[in-house]
Amino acid sequence: MTTDTTAGRPGAANEQDELAKGQWNDAYRLEDGHTNLWGDPPVPYVVNAAKLFADHDAFVVLDLPCGDGRNLPPLAQAATVVLGGDTSRNAMGIARRVVAKANADNVVFKVTDAFATGLPDDSVDGIFCWDLLGHLTEPVKALQELYRICRPGGHIVANMWTMNDCQVGDPGMKEVRPKEYLDHADFYCRFFDRPDLDAYLADAGLADEVAAVELLRWMEPPHAGYRPYFHEHESLAFTIRKKGL
C-alpha cells in the first residue's frame, strides 16, 4: 500500500504529549525475556470493532496506537488492509512479530502521530483507537485529526477510562487535578464520567455524530514490568460514524 504522507494537514502535540512519545518508546524496550508489554490477549471490545468494520466493508482500517500488536490479528480479519500506527518504533518491532505469528499478512506499519497522522483526508474506513486519548493532555486535537482522515460513512471506535478503572488505585498514582493523574512511570492519565465524555465530544465538534456509547468492564492478566497482577478495567467506549454517506 502506498500512502501520500504529504497530504495530511500537520498538527502539533504540546510539550507534555510530545515528551510522552519518548517515554512510550522506552517502555517498549523489553527486558528480562519478556516478549511484549501488555500480554497476548486482545482487548475484548476489538471483536466488536472488527465486526463493525467488516459489516461496513472496510478496505483500510487504522489501529492507532497499535502498541505491541495484540489487537492487530482480530482487525486483520475485518479489512483488506490494516495500518498499524504508533510513534514507538520499539512497539512496532514487537507488533511485527505478533502479526507474523498470526499470519496476518495484510498489516502494514507506519510511524503515525495521532496529532498529525500524515494521512490524506477521508483515507481510512475504520479507526480503532484504544487506551490513547486518556493519556493525552489535548485529546480534542487528536480526535479531530482521526475524524479528518476517516472517510464519510466510516467509523472511529475509541475509549476513555472511568474513575472505576483499576489504574486509579495503582501504587504510585499521583493526582495532579481532579480526575487527572500521573502514574508510577509519569504517564499522564485522565478519567471520564459520561458528562465529561459528552463535553469532550462536543468540544471536538462531534456530538451529533456519536453512534454509540457503552460502559465496559473487563479483566486483564498481568502486564510484566508495568502492572504485574490481574486487574479490572472500566471504560466508556464510543463510536463515531462520520457523516456524508
Side-chain angles (χ1 to χ4, degrees):
M1 181 182 70
T2 58
T3 301
D4 177 4
T5 57
T6 65
R9 292 189 294 273
N14 67 17
E15 184 177 1
Q16 186 171 351
D17 291 331
E18 191 67 33
L19 288 173
K21 297 174 189 177
Q23 289 177 276
W24 279 113
N25 194 48
D26 289 342
Y28 283 105
R29 186 175 291 119
L30 303 176
E31 300 174 353
D32 302 325
H34 299 308
T35 57
N36 55 30
L37 183 64
W38 302 119
D40 292 327
V43 297
Y45 202 70
V46 71
V47 176
N48 301 59
K51 184 177 187 305
L52 176 69
F53 300 149
D55 287 348
H56 287 82
D57 299 320
F59 185 77
V60 178
V61 163
L62 170 65
D63 183 14
L64 180 66
C66 69
D68 59 10
R70 64 175 178 156
N71 297 314
L72 287 169
L75 293 172
Q77 299 179 34
T80 304
V81 176
V82 174
L83 182 60
D86 208 293
T87 59
S88 170
R89 294 183 183 275
N90 288 337
M92 288 188 288
I94 303 165
R96 284 186 175 90
R97 297 197 294 270
V98 172
V99 299
K101 183 179 178 181
N103 295 316
D105 58 3
N106 60 332
V107 178
V108 178
F109 290 94
K110 177 184 182 296
V111 175
T112 309
D113 185 335
F115 293 99
T117 62
L119 296 173
D121 293 352
D122 306 334
S123 58
V124 299
D125 302 292
I127 301 169
F128 188 67
C129 180
W130 204 258
D131 286 353
L132 171 67
L133 299 173
H135 277 306
L136 304 178
T137 62
E138 294 189 303
V140 167
K141 290 182 179 179
L143 186 59
Q144 289 172 336
E145 171 67 358
L146 298 183
Y147 183 83
R148 179 187 69 78
I149 65 173
C150 187
R151 71 163 176 81
H155 295 85
I156 302 168
V157 178
N159 73 313
M160 289 294 197
W161 309 300
T162 76
M163 285 293 291
N164 292 322
D165 189 85
C166 65
Q167 296 175 87
V168 175
D170 276 354
M173 285 291 274
K174 298 173 291 186
E175 186 175 14
V176 293
R177 283 174 291 276
K179 300 180 184 175
E180 296 181 58
Y181 294 77
L182 294 177
D183 72 8
H184 72 282
D186 283 334
F187 289 116
Y188 174 82
C189 303
R190 183 176 177 185
F191 300 88
F192 287 67
D193 57 25
R194 180 59 190 267
D196 296 330
L197 178 62
D198 291 342
Y200 165 66
L201 295 169
D203 287 346
L206 301 176
D208 293 339
E209 297 180 64
V210 177
V213 176
E214 300 178 60
L215 180 65
L216 307 177
R217 193 173 293 158
W218 71 98
M219 294 295 299
E220 288 202 355
H223 305 317
Y226 192 82
R227 189 173 294 114
Y229 46 84
F230 281 90
H231 50 279
E232 185 174 45
H233 284 295
E234 184 176 284
S235 281
L236 288 163
F238 62 93
T239 300
I240 293 168
R241 185 175 190 273
K242 188 170 181 176
K243 291 180 179 178
L245 290 177

